[in-house]
Amino acid sequence: MIEFERKIRMRRPDDWHLHLRDGNILNSVVAHTARTFRRAVIMPNLQPPITDIQKAIDYRQRILDAIPDGLSFTPLMTAYLTDDLMPNVLEKGFREGVFFAAKLYPANSTTNSAFGVTNIEKIYSTVEIMEKIGLPLLIHGEVSDPHVDVFDREAVFIERHLDPLLKRFQNLQVVLEHITTKDAVQYVQNSQSRLAATITPHHLHINRNAMFKGGLRSDYFCLPVAKREYHRVALRQAAVSGEPCFFLGTDSAPHLRQFKESSCGCAGIFNAPYAIESYAQVFDEEGAIDRLEPFASEFGPAFYGLPLNEDHIILVQRPQLVQDRIEIQNFDQGKDYIVPFHAGETLRWSIQV
Ligand code: DOR
Ligand code: ZN
């Protein structure tokens, strides 16, 4: 019997939530995104964070310089909101085409968020300007209150902060990033079109058990942390639902091995090298491979009012073994590496080159 490969030709996707870091790590990771995605929203949580126009311009240039010849990739830059970031800086950066959006990290909620916002109400005057000029607000939706259980922090954020924010700013465009709960799915579904959510590949594949399988596994630790199985099921249903309020954002977050392996391992999963293949597997398992293209390539641009990409990629149902490690070249302290999501597993889909 001859079995023919299944093939999908789909519009080239974009990544609406991506961490690229800087320096040698940036130089080693950007190609993994640029080979597949045409555009990506770049997170500003560097050390120090991207809090002014010049920093964003310089960072964008370093990203562009790191893209290998022959690949066409547009980084869409974000501003890191702090208690004191001046609204006029945001407005100028937006009008000059530097800031695509602004990112809200509640202070101390995740990696490099120490300079984040200590109380959302403190930046309401800034949010008011964002609403007026049409600058989208991208939210890490977790409270950092240590009294709130880590698995409840997203749901509590929605109730305490997101809902009042949306009620107050009726025209603000908001993306609740990397959602992890059924609560978030339902909240986004029930709100109007100005609220959308991104969904990562890892939250579609793993539940919280992955972090504890046979020992403590920091490779599966990210924030917001993966939740119970019924939340993962709700996320999968949302992703394949064909509802335009849910779209692709990988939250690919590279950390050097030495920092993942520490007794206080960093939050973040590096999924860029196999991101679209990872999503394809989920959509296929859900019997919805035809919904991958709108999720990955259409709903994001529609939400942000951008044109669709014109070129295409081809996915084939051909198994591929995921690499154990991605080397970081010329790292200051010698060679180091990053372990990608799915390391050592065989994924069922591949990109045809
Ligand atoms: O797991 C995460 N890693 N979540 C975030 O919000 C930040 C990210 C990072 O920058 O490493
Ligand atoms: Zn992120």
Side-chain angles (χ1 to χ4, degrees), residues 19 21 45 80 105 109-114 140 223 253 255 266-268:
H19 299 267
R21 315 300 187 207
N45 60 334
Y80 182 111
Y105 287 105
S109 56
T110 187
T111 310
N112 298 344
S113 64
H140 182 105
L223 287 167
H255 288 282
C266 297

Side-chain angles (χ1 to χ4, degrees), residues 285-309:
E285 283 165 3
E286 296 294 327
I289 198 74
D290 56 317
R291 302 251 170 96
L292 179 63
E293 183 178 34
F295 174 81
S297 318
E298 294 172 8
F299 296 156
F303 178 81
Y304 285 115
L306 294 176
L308 299 178
N309 295 326

Side-chain angles (χ1 to χ4, degrees), residues 187-205:
Y187 187 79
V188 174
Q189 274 168 336
N190 293 333
S191 61
Q192 295 137 13
S193 56
R194 68 209 165 85
L195 177 65
T198 52
I199 305 181
T200 75
H202 41 279
H203 290 114
L204 296 171
H205 278 276

Side-chain angles (χ1 to χ4, degrees), residues 211-230:
M211 286 181 293
F212 307 104
K213 198 174 160 197
L216 193 55
R217 290 177 176 257
S218 60
D219 286 339
Y220 300 108
F221 174 54
C222 61
L223 287 167
V225 71
K227 308 293 193 301
R228 287 180 182 274
E229 177 63 5
Y230 77 87

Side-chain angles (χ1 to χ4, degrees), residues 36-216:
T36 306
F37 297 94
R38 175 71 182 79
R39 298 169 282 203
V41 176
I42 310 301
M43 290 301 125
N45 60 334
L46 302 184
Q47 276 176 317
I50 304 298
T51 47
D52 64 44
I53 300 172
Q54 196 55 48
K55 282 199 187 97
I57 291 174
D58 294 345
Y59 185 34
R60 180 169 62 187
Q61 192 56 50
R62 293 196 296 280
I63 296 170
L64 292 171
D65 291 345
I67 300 166
D69 292 345
L71 294 179
S72 172
F73 176 71
T74 305
L76 303 168
M77 308 310 289
T78 56
Y80 182 111
L81 292 172
T82 65
D83 287 351
D84 328 298
L85 182 63
M86 301 305 289
N88 61 321
V89 172
L90 282 182
E91 184 165 3
K92 186 161 181 278
F94 179 58
R95 300 226 186 273
E96 289 177 358
V98 179
F99 292 140
F100 173 75
K103 177 73 190 273
L104 167 67
Y105 287 105
N108 305 315
S109 56
T110 187
T111 310
N112 298 344
S113 64
F115 299 101
V117 173
T118 56
N119 175 354
I120 295 175
E121 287 172 15
K122 274 197 189 162
I123 63 157
Y124 269 7
S125 56
T126 303
V127 175
E128 201 176 318
I129 303 291
M130 292 176 62
E131 178 183 46
K132 204 174 86 196
I133 64 177
L135 181 67
L137 177 66
L138 315 184
I139 299 183
H140 182 105
E142 286 190 289
V143 292
S144 50
D145 179 348
H147 300 296
V148 177
D149 189 282
V150 71
F151 293 99
D152 297 332
R153 287 182 186 175
E154 182 174 277
V156 171
F157 181 90
I158 292 170
E159 194 188 311
R160 275 193 205 165
H161 302 295
L162 183 59
D163 194 52
L165 183 87
L166 292 175
K167 286 200 170 110
R168 184 172 176 129
F169 300 101
Q170 304 264 331
N171 295 311
L172 183 69
Q173 245 193 318
V174 176
V175 182
L176 186 56
E177 300 288 346
H178 42 54
I179 57 169
T180 59
T181 55
K182 189 173 180 179
D183 314 58
V185 167
Q186 289 175 341
Y187 187 79
V188 174
Q189 274 168 336
N190 293 333
S191 61
Q192 295 137 13
S193 56
R194 68 209 165 85
L195 177 65
T198 52
I199 305 181
T200 75
H202 41 279
H203 290 114
L204 296 171
H205 278 276
I206 60 168
N207 64 29
R208 63 191 196 174
N209 285 350
M211 286 181 293
F212 307 104
K213 198 174 160 197
L216 193 55

